[in-house]
mmCIF file of all heavy atoms in Angstrom:
data_model
loop_
_atom_site.group_PDB
_atom_site.id
_atom_site.type_symbol
_atom_site.label_atom_id
_atom_site.label_comp_id
_atom_site.label_asym_id
_atom_site.label_seq_id
_atom_site.Cartn_x
_atom_site.Cartn_y
_atom_site.Cartn_z
ATOM 1 N N GLY A 1 49.161 -33.250 64.786
ATOM 2 C CA GLY A 1 50.198 -32.795 63.828
ATOM 3 C C GLY A 1 51.335 -33.807 63.870
ATOM 4 O O GLY A 1 51.856 -34.197 62.801
ATOM 5 N N THR A 2 51.717 -34.204 65.073
ATOM 6 C CA THR A 2 52.658 -35.341 65.207
ATOM 7 C C THR A 2 51.908 -36.634 64.886
ATOM 8 O O THR A 2 52.416 -37.523 64.237
ATOM 9 C CB THR A 2 53.251 -35.375 66.609
ATOM 10 O OG1 THR A 2 53.979 -34.184 66.884
ATOM 11 C CG2 THR A 2 54.185 -36.597 66.769
ATOM 12 N N VAL A 3 50.705 -36.696 65.379
ATOM 13 C CA VAL A 3 49.781 -37.796 65.069
ATOM 14 C C VAL A 3 48.431 -37.212 64.738
ATOM 15 O O VAL A 3 48.155 -36.049 65.005
ATOM 16 C CB VAL A 3 49.633 -38.781 66.265
ATOM 17 C CG1 VAL A 3 50.911 -39.477 66.578
ATOM 18 C CG2 VAL A 3 49.124 -38.032 67.507
ATOM 19 N N GLY A 4 47.572 -38.028 64.138
ATOM 20 C CA GLY A 4 46.190 -37.628 63.931
ATOM 21 C C GLY A 4 45.389 -37.891 65.188
ATOM 22 O O GLY A 4 45.790 -38.710 66.069
ATOM 23 N N ILE A 5 44.269 -37.218 65.316
ATOM 24 C CA ILE A 5 43.334 -37.478 66.434
ATOM 25 C C ILE A 5 41.936 -37.584 65.871
ATOM 26 O O ILE A 5 41.646 -37.108 64.754
ATOM 27 C CB ILE A 5 43.400 -36.395 67.535
ATOM 28 C CG1 ILE A 5 42.982 -35.033 66.973
ATOM 29 C CG2 ILE A 5 44.779 -36.326 68.163
ATOM 30 C CD1 ILE A 5 42.838 -33.940 68.028
ATOM 31 N N ASP A 6 41.047 -38.198 66.606
ATOM 32 C CA ASP A 6 39.685 -38.329 66.138
ATOM 33 C C ASP A 6 38.938 -37.001 66.234
ATOM 34 O O ASP A 6 38.464 -36.461 65.243
ATOM 35 C CB ASP A 6 38.920 -39.428 66.899
ATOM 36 C CG ASP A 6 39.014 -39.278 68.427
ATOM 37 O OD1 ASP A 6 39.810 -38.426 68.898
ATOM 38 O OD2 ASP A 6 38.307 -40.001 69.139
ATOM 39 N N MET A 7 38.836 -36.440 67.404
ATOM 40 C CA MET A 7 38.151 -35.171 67.637
ATOM 41 C C MET A 7 38.395 -34.744 69.078
ATOM 42 O O MET A 7 38.878 -35.551 69.901
ATOM 43 C CB MET A 7 36.651 -35.291 67.392
ATOM 44 C CG MET A 7 35.939 -36.264 68.314
ATOM 45 S SD MET A 7 34.159 -36.481 67.940
ATOM 46 C CE MET A 7 34.231 -37.527 66.481
ATOM 47 N N ILE A 8 38.116 -33.513 69.385
ATOM 48 C CA ILE A 8 38.121 -33.036 70.763
ATOM 49 C C ILE A 8 36.660 -32.965 71.206
ATOM 50 O O ILE A 8 35.909 -32.085 70.805
ATOM 51 C CB ILE A 8 38.795 -31.668 70.912
ATOM 52 C CG1 ILE A 8 40.215 -31.714 70.422
ATOM 53 C CG2 ILE A 8 38.729 -31.187 72.349
ATOM 54 C CD1 ILE A 8 41.111 -32.673 71.178
ATOM 55 N N ALA A 9 36.248 -33.921 72.012
ATOM 56 C CA ALA A 9 34.850 -34.011 72.387
ATOM 57 C C ALA A 9 34.545 -33.177 73.644
ATOM 58 O O ALA A 9 35.323 -33.169 74.602
ATOM 59 C CB ALA A 9 34.486 -35.472 72.673
ATOM 60 N N GLY A 10 33.437 -32.479 73.579
ATOM 61 C CA GLY A 10 32.971 -31.725 74.741
ATOM 62 C C GLY A 10 31.980 -32.564 75.530
ATOM 63 O O GLY A 10 31.850 -33.754 75.295
ATOM 64 N N PRO A 11 31.256 -31.944 76.461
ATOM 65 C CA PRO A 11 30.261 -32.660 77.250
ATOM 66 C C PRO A 11 29.193 -33.290 76.351
ATOM 67 O O PRO A 11 28.865 -32.776 75.275
ATOM 68 C CB PRO A 11 29.666 -31.573 78.141
ATOM 69 C CG PRO A 11 30.711 -30.516 78.195
ATOM 70 C CD PRO A 11 31.363 -30.509 76.856
ATOM 71 N N SER A 12 28.623 -34.396 76.790
ATOM 72 C CA SER A 12 27.632 -35.101 76.024
ATOM 73 C C SER A 12 26.314 -34.322 75.949
ATOM 74 O O SER A 12 25.979 -33.573 76.882
ATOM 75 C CB SER A 12 27.392 -36.480 76.650
ATOM 76 O OG SER A 12 26.725 -37.355 75.768
ATOM 77 N N GLU A 13 25.571 -34.511 74.840
ATOM 78 C CA GLU A 13 24.358 -33.732 74.619
ATOM 79 C C GLU A 13 23.250 -34.598 74.048
ATOM 80 O O GLU A 13 23.480 -35.504 73.268
ATOM 81 C CB GLU A 13 24.631 -32.618 73.559
ATOM 82 C CG GLU A 13 25.855 -31.800 73.775
ATOM 83 C CD GLU A 13 26.375 -31.172 72.498
ATOM 84 O OE1 GLU A 13 25.850 -31.491 71.396
ATOM 85 O OE2 GLU A 13 27.348 -30.387 72.573
ATOM 86 N N ILE A 14 22.016 -34.239 74.406
ATOM 87 C CA ILE A 14 20.861 -34.818 73.755
ATOM 88 C C ILE A 14 19.828 -33.732 73.497
ATOM 89 O O ILE A 14 19.651 -32.841 74.340
ATOM 90 C CB ILE A 14 20.209 -35.967 74.543
ATOM 91 C CG1 ILE A 14 19.151 -36.678 73.723
ATOM 92 C CG2 ILE A 14 19.608 -35.456 75.857
ATOM 93 C CD1 ILE A 14 18.600 -37.947 74.365
ATOM 94 N N LEU A 15 19.182 -33.790 72.352
ATOM 95 C CA LEU A 15 18.083 -32.894 72.010
ATOM 96 C C LEU A 15 16.899 -33.801 71.621
ATOM 97 O O LEU A 15 16.996 -34.575 70.679
ATOM 98 C CB LEU A 15 18.446 -31.965 70.835
ATOM 99 C CG LEU A 15 17.339 -31.050 70.356
ATOM 100 C CD1 LEU A 15 16.962 -30.061 71.444
ATOM 101 C CD2 LEU A 15 17.789 -30.281 69.123
ATOM 102 N N VAL A 16 15.830 -33.734 72.397
ATOM 103 C CA VAL A 16 14.644 -34.521 72.105
ATOM 104 C C VAL A 16 13.632 -33.642 71.388
ATOM 105 O O VAL A 16 13.173 -32.631 71.950
ATOM 106 C CB VAL A 16 14.013 -35.106 73.394
ATOM 107 C CG1 VAL A 16 12.781 -35.919 73.048
ATOM 108 C CG2 VAL A 16 15.045 -35.984 74.125
ATOM 109 N N LEU A 17 13.310 -33.985 70.176
ATOM 110 C CA LEU A 17 12.328 -33.256 69.370
ATOM 111 C C LEU A 17 11.048 -34.077 69.422
ATOM 112 O O LEU A 17 10.955 -35.122 68.788
ATOM 113 C CB LEU A 17 12.871 -33.102 67.936
ATOM 114 C CG LEU A 17 12.254 -32.065 67.022
ATOM 115 C CD1 LEU A 17 13.164 -31.840 65.818
ATOM 116 C CD2 LEU A 17 10.881 -32.476 66.529
ATOM 117 N N CYS A 18 10.041 -33.615 70.161
ATOM 118 C CA CYS A 18 8.875 -34.415 70.440
ATOM 119 C C CYS A 18 7.586 -33.696 70.076
ATOM 120 O O CYS A 18 7.455 -32.499 70.338
ATOM 121 C CB CYS A 18 8.825 -34.817 71.939
ATOM 122 S SG CYS A 18 7.502 -35.952 72.365
ATOM 123 N N ASP A 19 6.664 -34.407 69.456
ATOM 124 C CA ASP A 19 5.382 -33.790 69.062
ATOM 125 C C ASP A 19 4.318 -33.887 70.148
ATOM 126 O O ASP A 19 3.168 -33.480 69.964
ATOM 127 C CB ASP A 19 4.865 -34.426 67.753
ATOM 128 C CG ASP A 19 4.579 -35.917 67.898
ATOM 129 O OD1 ASP A 19 4.791 -36.480 68.998
ATOM 130 O OD2 ASP A 19 4.175 -36.543 66.897
ATOM 131 N N GLY A 20 4.680 -34.471 71.299
ATOM 132 C CA GLY A 20 3.728 -34.568 72.421
ATOM 133 C C GLY A 20 2.994 -35.844 72.469
ATOM 134 O O GLY A 20 2.070 -36.019 73.316
ATOM 135 N N THR A 21 3.322 -36.817 71.596
ATOM 136 C CA THR A 21 2.594 -38.095 71.575
ATOM 137 C C THR A 21 3.325 -39.225 72.265
ATOM 138 O O THR A 21 2.824 -40.352 72.345
ATOM 139 C CB THR A 21 2.298 -38.506 70.109
ATOM 140 O OG1 THR A 21 3.550 -38.720 69.423
ATOM 141 C CG2 THR A 21 1.496 -37.472 69.380
ATOM 142 N N THR A 22 4.512 -38.983 72.767
ATOM 143 C CA THR A 22 5.333 -39.989 73.439
ATOM 144 C C THR A 22 4.988 -40.001 74.935
ATOM 145 O O THR A 22 4.603 -38.976 75.498
ATOM 146 C CB THR A 22 6.826 -39.698 73.230
ATOM 147 O OG1 THR A 22 7.082 -39.675 71.833
ATOM 148 C CG2 THR A 22 7.681 -40.793 73.873
ATOM 149 N N ASN A 23 5.152 -41.156 75.550
ATOM 150 C CA ASN A 23 4.972 -41.255 76.993
ATOM 151 C C ASN A 23 5.944 -40.271 77.676
ATOM 152 O O ASN A 23 7.156 -40.337 77.441
ATOM 153 C CB ASN A 23 5.286 -42.676 77.451
ATOM 154 C CG ASN A 23 4.994 -42.926 78.915
ATOM 155 O OD1 ASN A 23 5.232 -42.079 79.749
ATOM 156 N ND2 ASN A 23 4.491 -44.103 79.214
ATOM 157 N N PRO A 24 5.464 -39.345 78.485
ATOM 158 C CA PRO A 24 6.366 -38.369 79.116
ATOM 159 C C PRO A 24 7.434 -38.997 79.984
ATOM 160 O O PRO A 24 8.502 -38.428 80.169
ATOM 161 C CB PRO A 24 5.415 -37.464 79.905
ATOM 162 C CG PRO A 24 4.184 -38.273 80.084
ATOM 163 C CD PRO A 24 4.060 -39.131 78.877
ATOM 164 N N ASN A 25 7.141 -40.154 80.591
ATOM 165 C CA ASN A 25 8.162 -40.866 81.364
ATOM 166 C C ASN A 25 9.369 -41.206 80.505
ATOM 167 O O ASN A 25 10.517 -41.126 80.950
ATOM 168 C CB ASN A 25 7.571 -42.143 81.980
ATOM 169 C CG ASN A 25 6.531 -41.871 83.035
ATOM 170 O OD1 ASN A 25 5.595 -41.110 82.815
ATOM 171 N ND2 ASN A 25 6.668 -42.484 84.188
ATOM 172 N N TRP A 26 9.099 -41.648 79.254
ATOM 173 C CA TRP A 26 10.171 -42.001 78.357
ATOM 174 C C TRP A 26 11.064 -40.796 78.041
ATOM 175 O O TRP A 26 12.283 -40.867 78.050
ATOM 176 C CB TRP A 26 9.608 -42.577 77.052
ATOM 177 C CG TRP A 26 8.849 -43.864 77.172
ATOM 178 C CD1 TRP A 26 8.403 -44.439 78.380
ATOM 179 C CD2 TRP A 26 8.415 -44.718 76.122
ATOM 180 N NE1 TRP A 26 7.737 -45.593 78.085
ATOM 181 C CE2 TRP A 26 7.716 -45.805 76.739
ATOM 182 C CE3 TRP A 26 8.542 -44.681 74.748
ATOM 183 C CZ2 TRP A 26 7.153 -46.843 75.984
ATOM 184 C CZ3 TRP A 26 7.969 -45.707 73.985
ATOM 185 C CH2 TRP A 26 7.296 -46.774 74.601
ATOM 186 N N VAL A 27 10.409 -39.687 77.797
ATOM 187 C CA VAL A 27 11.140 -38.464 77.456
ATOM 188 C C VAL A 27 11.977 -38.015 78.653
ATOM 189 O O VAL A 27 13.148 -37.670 78.518
ATOM 190 C CB VAL A 27 10.207 -37.362 76.995
ATOM 191 C CG1 VAL A 27 10.952 -36.027 76.818
ATOM 192 C CG2 VAL A 27 9.536 -37.738 75.685
ATOM 193 N N ALA A 28 11.375 -38.008 79.814
ATOM 194 C CA ALA A 28 12.078 -37.586 81.038
ATOM 195 C C ALA A 28 13.320 -38.461 81.274
ATOM 196 O O ALA A 28 14.397 -37.965 81.573
ATOM 197 C CB ALA A 28 11.173 -37.620 82.240
ATOM 198 N N MET A 29 13.150 -39.763 81.104
ATOM 199 C CA MET A 29 14.263 -40.676 81.350
ATOM 200 C C MET A 29 15.365 -40.532 80.309
ATOM 201 O O MET A 29 16.559 -40.683 80.596
ATOM 202 C CB MET A 29 13.785 -42.141 81.393
ATOM 203 C CG MET A 29 14.773 -43.084 82.041
ATOM 204 S SD MET A 29 15.254 -42.607 83.743
ATOM 205 C CE MET A 29 13.697 -42.768 84.619
ATOM 206 N N ASP A 30 14.980 -40.211 79.073
ATOM 207 C CA ASP A 30 15.977 -39.933 78.037
ATOM 208 C C ASP A 30 16.799 -38.689 78.377
ATOM 209 O O ASP A 30 18.015 -38.650 78.146
ATOM 210 C CB ASP A 30 15.333 -39.761 76.664
ATOM 211 C CG ASP A 30 14.770 -41.090 76.118
ATOM 212 O OD1 ASP A 30 15.038 -42.125 76.746
ATOM 213 O OD2 ASP A 30 14.094 -41.052 75.091
ATOM 214 N N LEU A 31 16.148 -37.691 78.945
ATOM 215 C CA LEU A 31 16.860 -36.504 79.403
ATOM 216 C C LEU A 31 17.783 -36.859 80.549
ATOM 217 O O LEU A 31 18.937 -36.393 80.623
ATOM 218 C CB LEU A 31 15.869 -35.411 79.831
ATOM 219 C CG LEU A 31 14.928 -34.891 78.745
ATOM 220 C CD1 LEU A 31 13.941 -33.844 79.330
ATOM 221 C CD2 LEU A 31 15.690 -34.241 77.595
ATOM 222 N N PHE A 32 17.300 -37.698 81.473
ATOM 223 C CA PHE A 32 18.125 -38.152 82.602
ATOM 224 C C PHE A 32 19.367 -38.921 82.099
ATOM 225 O O PHE A 32 20.455 -38.773 82.612
ATOM 226 C CB PHE A 32 17.309 -39.095 83.495
ATOM 227 C CG PHE A 32 16.355 -38.412 84.423
ATOM 228 C CD1 PHE A 32 16.162 -37.022 84.388
ATOM 229 C CD2 PHE A 32 15.600 -39.164 85.326
ATOM 230 C CE1 PHE A 32 15.263 -36.419 85.234
ATOM 231 C CE2 PHE A 32 14.680 -38.543 86.170
ATOM 232 C CZ PHE A 32 14.514 -37.171 86.129
ATOM 233 N N ALA A 33 19.150 -39.795 81.110
ATOM 234 C CA ALA A 33 20.211 -40.669 80.657
ATOM 235 C C ALA A 33 21.410 -39.877 80.175
ATOM 236 O O ALA A 33 22.562 -40.314 80.304
ATOM 237 C CB ALA A 33 19.699 -41.577 79.535
ATOM 238 N N GLN A 34 21.145 -38.723 79.591
ATOM 239 C CA GLN A 34 22.257 -37.885 79.122
ATOM 240 C C GLN A 34 22.812 -37.076 80.283
ATOM 241 O O GLN A 34 24.041 -36.920 80.434
ATOM 242 C CB GLN A 34 21.784 -36.939 78.039
ATOM 243 C CG GLN A 34 22.841 -36.570 77.032
ATOM 244 C CD GLN A 34 23.370 -37.771 76.280
ATOM 245 O OE1 GLN A 34 22.682 -38.759 76.089
ATOM 246 N NE2 GLN A 34 24.637 -37.713 75.892
#
């Protein structure tokens, strides 16, 4: 109100939508990365 702000960010999030054809190691590490 005195100044503008970009946003109030909460904790980081990832949602992996997978059909089961990806290497499970890749998916697990993507979950870890977040």
